[in-house]
Amino acid sequence: MLVIYAEKGDVANKIAAALGGFKLPSGTEITFKNLKAQEKAVKKFQRDQGYLDIFFHGVPCKVTWGYGHQYGLKDVFEYDPRLKPWRVRPVCYIPEQFELHPLTSSEANFKRLLDQQRRITAELFKKADRIINATDDDREGELIFAYIYEAVKCRVPYERVHFTDQTEAGIRHAFDSLIPSSKVRNIELAGRARSIYDWLIGTNLTTRMTLKFPGNDVLSIGRVQTPVLKMLADREEAILTFKSEPFWNLKATFTTGKSETYKATYKEEKMRDKAKADKILAEIKGEPGTVTSIVQKNVRKEVPLLYSQSALQIDANRLFGYSSKKTLEISQALYEGGYTTYPRTKSQFLTDEMEPVVVDTLTALSALPQLKSYLDSKPLKPGAKFFNSKKVESHFAIIPTTSVPSSLPPDQQNIYDLICFSLIRTIYPDAMLTKTVVETTVKLYDFTTIGTAIINAGWMAVAHKPKESLIPLLSKGNSVSGAYEVKEGKTEPPKRFDDASLIAAMKSAGKDLEDKELRKILADPKNEGIGTEATRSEIIETLLRRGYVERKGKCFHVTDKGLNLIHNIPVTDMLSPEFTAKMEQKLSSIADGTL
């Protein structure tokens, strides 16, 4: 008997439907085409039976599933019951051998489902002649399967299926291209190393810090969450200690002989001496200006790369105000719906052989009314720069699939459109702009104007709202009339992090390090700063849940609890980007088999 194990039920029913279909107790045959319409009946059947019967290449097969992580590493007291009170534990506890326990839930119905699926999975694995691992094919997906396989003491050979999308064709292709388990063993080991290392940090330092600073709350420490909290705390303190100072700008509005206007700023911006600004204003009041210099430079604005998860989260936060968690959840839902490819990717490139896939996808997208105008009469020839197999590891950039939705909820539509626009732009040329710097002199005082004009919109014609500052056509020597004023401003503190800027900061953390070796590590595309594409949003949510950070509007504010933790943690090494960089580099080296 063959057993296929999926990470969750929704994926399992799609696999079963795509590989030949299955039958409900009512006699209804479920195929990929009617799966959505029969969703309610299918889910009830799944809850009742815990697996789906299909035939795969003529062999009887049972498709089963879990609910994410089914097993985790045991707590300290499970190795030694005498160590249940934290106060009696050694400063650092390391078991001789790490062991697993089943994970549970405080919600009764969910606990029942967890226990049922664990029991069914164990029974099926013991009866199986062959197993296919169909969890997400990343570090955590390998770990989820490995822990189940270990916990039920399974020795049956297994293979791994690698999805790029969850369309019917994509699922079938993946199951016709199975990967030997030996090929993913190193990724599993990296997952195990991550799990053990996080346990060592979290268990031991959380215990020590909570005992050292007793109060009502556990002081949770994490390998990744604590360095991120340090970034936020540093910014918080820079804001809290910032002392605003006044400055004055001298502004001009010039009018040409054709009654066209343009604005300019005196070249010495942010003058700290108001008397000086007032003196200049008095000298030039009512005086005309002369255009003394015009410098124009053509600027090429390249087509943006395709989306990784981080790049998508940054744009979704900037355009729609979505949190990083919300964007990840939406992109996961689109993937599970079969409309987009795997979302937890760090690559912004496609593999060298994917041009025909892109052409087929663009052809499919042209049927959608909101996209048709961007594709009509355009040659479907994507730029070569988007295809680079060397810059793709396990997953390529996020793109739409040929399965186009007839309708989507508004939030999903927003993210889907972003992903579609990013692919459509690959068939457009770079945008050409001209940047103009004009100097207008009034008496001996120079005022500067910077304007940009679009020569050729190129890719910017695809759902892009340029913020270009346009200026009238001017010539050197033109005389213009001027109106002048002194405007007061105040120096502003650093901006608070929002989801977009925090994701960007986590992704680039440590890349300005003085240590050349660490800079080299972080410059490697395989290494990702702090966290990964799959985990950054959850890291942020963990800080929020634990009361270290609050979200006010779009911005993050660090609480007193968060600041106190950062001030008091004695292991200062683990707060630095170097610490995280070294660990991520080691985990990557384990995954690629060099460590």
Side-chain angles (χ1 to χ4, degrees), residues 2 25 130 176 179 244 299 379 499 501 545 547:
L2 170 64
R130 178 181 163 218
D176 286 336
I179 300 166
S244 183
V299 178
D499 281 81
S501 56
R545 276 197 309 272

Side-chain angles (χ1 to χ4, degrees), residues 86-100:
W86 286 14
R87 66 182 180 278
V88 302
R89 293 182 183 180
V91 171
C92 183
Y93 179 82
I94 305 175
E96 290 184 13
Q97 179 70 39
F98 282 93
E99 298 173 8
L100 302 175

Side-chain angles (χ1 to χ4, degrees), residues 449-465:
T449 304
I450 300 175
T452 306
I454 298 173
I455 301 172
N456 183 346
W459 66 267
M460 292 171 68
V462 182
H464 180 80
K465 296 178 181 176

Side-chain angles (χ1 to χ4, degrees), residues 314-331:
I314 289 168
D315 273 4
N317 181 253
R318 180 175 57 83
L319 293 169
F320 309 120
Y322 294 167
S323 71
S324 53
K325 180 186 179 186
K326 182 172 182 175
T327 300
L328 180 58
E329 288 173 346
I330 293 170
S331 55

Side-chain angles (χ1 to χ4, degrees), residues 170-185:
I171 290 170
R172 286 180 176 176
H173 175 74
F175 275 91
D176 286 336
S177 314
L178 295 173
I179 300 166
S181 60
S182 58
K183 295 286 186 182
V184 295
R185 172 63 174 164

Side-chain angles (χ1 to χ4, degrees), residues 349-463:
F349 294 87
L350 304 173
T351 57
D352 295 332
E353 68 278 3
M354 285 185 69
E355 184 175 333
V357 174
V358 172
V359 173
D360 288 346
T361 302
L362 291 169
T363 303
L365 294 181
S366 64
L368 294 173
Q370 74 269 28
L371 303 178
K372 192 175 187 300
S373 63
Y374 299 123
L375 292 161
D376 274 352
S377 71
K378 285 279 181 188
L380 302 184
K381 177 70 176 173
K385 80 168 189 176
F386 302 100
F387 301 92
N388 190 333
S389 293
K390 292 179 181 177
K391 294 186 177 181
V392 177
E393 291 183 53
S394 55
H395 297 286
F396 49 77
I398 307 169
I399 60 170
T401 68
T402 53
S403 178
V404 297
S406 55
S407 65
L408 289 170
D411 289 344
Q412 288 190 27
Q413 189 69 56
N414 285 339
I415 297 299
Y416 181 71
D417 286 348
L418 278 185
I419 295 168
C420 291
F421 293 146
S422 75
L423 186 67
I424 292 169
R425 287 171 187 146
T426 66
I427 66 172
Y428 278 72
D430 294 342
M432 291 301 299
L433 313 176
T434 181
K435 185 176 180 180
T436 305
V437 180
V438 177
E439 295 288 346
T440 306
T441 303
V442 184
K443 288 194 158 184
L444 299 174
Y445 302 104
D446 294 328
F447 288 77
T448 303
T449 304
I450 300 175
T452 306
I454 298 173
I455 301 172
N456 183 346
W459 66 267
M460 292 171 68
V462 182

Side-chain angles (χ1 to χ4, degrees), residues 2-3 56 130-134 145 156-161 178-182 184:
L2 170 64
V3 173
F56 178 63
R130 178 181 163 218
I131 298 172
I132 297 175
N133 174 15
F145 180 83
V156 177
Y158 71 90
E159 294 165 282
R160 142 65 70 190
V161 65
L178 295 173
I179 300 166
S181 60
S182 58
V184 295

Side-chain angles (χ1 to χ4, degrees), residues 50-65:
Y51 61 87
L52 301 170
D53 282 302
I54 65 168
F55 281 87
F56 178 63
H57 292 171
V59 176
C61 173
K62 295 189 185 295
V63 183
T64 191
W65 57 88

